[in-house]
Amino acid sequence: MKAEVLQLSPILIPEINARLNELYTVRPYFQQADKAAYLREHGANITAVVTGGHTGITRAVMEQLPAVKVIAVNGVGTDAVDLAYARDRGIHVTATIGALTEDVADLAIGLLISTCRGLNTADRYVRSGAWPKSPTPLAPIPLARQFSGMRVGIVGLGRVGRAVATRAAAFGCPISYTDLRAMDDVPYTFVQDLVELARQSDALIVAAAADKAKGIINAQVLAALGAEGYLINVARGSLVNEPDLVAALQTGSIAGAGLDVFVDEPNVPTELFELETVVLQPHRASATVQTRTRMGEMVLAALAQGLAGEKPTAAVA
Ligand code: 8YV
């Protein structure tokens, strides 16, 4: 008999879905209108879970899965999984560590360039048909801020933070970072205090794990970043105090923001929709065919190993 897998978020690669459905009886929890009833009906037979990084799994759901052996996160963040509870129950939790580093770093740089060079504003200008009507074509659009050479401050120098640093350094950007400790294997400047890092940076790129850092990008940090400064977030919305960020953007106390993640996805503070200084993405940093295929392969491997009673190679707990 096939093992039963509870699926909490979709997988967007058809080949991975096909293999998942070939190997297992997949229970698509994310598609159910009455999730509680679905869990009552199937919870006892579930031996594995597939979920997304942002979705995770609540302890309440885990409690209704008495036979679960492995929770495979199709993502790198495990902040939405109660790891301590999983550990207590001997449930393996896996993540796609390393699979999405390059894509997330690419998007961070892409967002920064889009934001400081006003790419979206200029795109809208061209599409609106306004260009031929203007006697001096680019006059209605303010001159942009140069990216090359910007002082870039990275919040969290893990895999993604380091990949961002490599990219920004190639654009001639001096790199500083903050993390729990200074790292001796990088040529970048460690700044212990986040407010100080913001003060010394033209752009702050958030790439930290969200577990213990809720709301660290707050009014004080944004004030230190200043009216010429940009904020980029490709990590988790919860790292940012969103009302503080909205206020800073509305009053121009920072220059702009490029955001892929939000506190209450898919709900984005609607005030941001009005602002030309903001570039918004619907949590898509890892959403390329290549990366999502690699992530899917890792999820399949984790399920196979966990269900065979082995500790999965990609286990984080
Ligand atoms: C994914 C993420 O969008 O890796 C993570 O933690 O949040 C994202 O890369 C998500 O996990 C896709 O399911």
Side-chain angles (χ1 to χ4, degrees), residues 5 11 13-24 26 50 70 72-74 94 96 293-307 312:
V5 175
I11 287 188
I13 301 292
E15 295 77 11
I16 301 289
N17 270 323
R19 276 164 54 205
L20 192 65
N21 282 281
E22 223 169 80
L23 293 164
Y24 308 110
V26 178
V50 174
V70 55
V73 177
N74 185 33
T94 69
T96 61
T293 302
R294 250 190 322 271
M295 289 163 68
E297 296 287 357
M298 288 180 80
V299 164
L300 289 173
L303 293 180
Q305 293 167 338
L307 288 169

Side-chain angles (χ1 to χ4, degrees), residues 107-108 110-111 114-115 120 233-234 257-262 265-266 268 272-273 278-287:
L107 194 84
L111 273 174
S114 296
T115 309
N120 289 12
N233 190 3
V234 288
L259 308 169
D260 184 47
V261 288
F262 304 88
E265 294 170 15
V268 173
L272 297 180
F273 300 164
V278 176
V279 176
L280 305 170
Q281 287 283 297
H283 199 146
R284 269 175 70 79
S286 69

Side-chain angles (χ1 to χ4, degrees), residues 9-10 51-54 74-77 96 100 104 236 283 286 292 295:
S9 66
T51 187
H54 178 75
N74 185 33
V76 78
T96 61
L100 44 69
V104 179
R236 282 287 184 268
H283 199 146
S286 69
R292 286 292 171 85
M295 289 163 68

Side-chain angles (χ1 to χ4, degrees), residues 243 245-254 271-272 274-275 277:
L245 176 60
V246 169
L249 287 161
Q250 282 175 328
T251 58
S253 71
I254 67 168
E271 299 92 323
L272 297 180
E274 312 298 321
L275 300 171
T277 51

Side-chain angles (χ1 to χ4, degrees), residues 157-280:
L157 203 70
R159 285 180 188 78
V160 170
R162 285 169 183 243
V164 169
T166 310
R167 283 157 177 72
F171 284 83
C173 300
I175 312 291
S176 304
Y177 69 99
T178 193
D179 207 309
L180 298 179
R181 57 181 177 80
M183 299 178 198
D184 52 19
D185 61 337
V186 291
Y188 316 125
T189 307
F190 176 63
V191 181
Q192 189 159 18
D193 180 48
L194 177 54
V195 175
E196 191 48 41
L197 179 73
R199 189 168 293 122
Q200 295 176 17
S201 301
D202 300 311
L204 211 53
I205 300 186
V206 184
D211 314 49
K212 298 179 192 91
K214 204 164 177 262
I216 54 169
I217 307 294
N218 56 20
Q220 206 193 349
V221 172
L222 295 167
L225 185 58
E228 306 288 316
Y230 293 86
L231 180 79
I232 304 299
N233 190 3
V234 288
R236 282 287 184 268
S238 61
L239 291 159
V240 175
N241 180 316
E242 243 169 28
D244 286 0
L245 176 60
V246 169
L249 287 161
Q250 282 175 328
T251 58
S253 71
I254 67 168
L259 308 169
D260 184 47
V261 288
F262 304 88
V263 170
D264 179 30
E265 294 170 15
N267 302 305
V268 173
T270 50
E271 299 92 323
L272 297 180
F273 300 164
E274 312 298 321
L275 300 171
E276 286 295 331
T277 51
V278 176
V279 176
L280 305 170

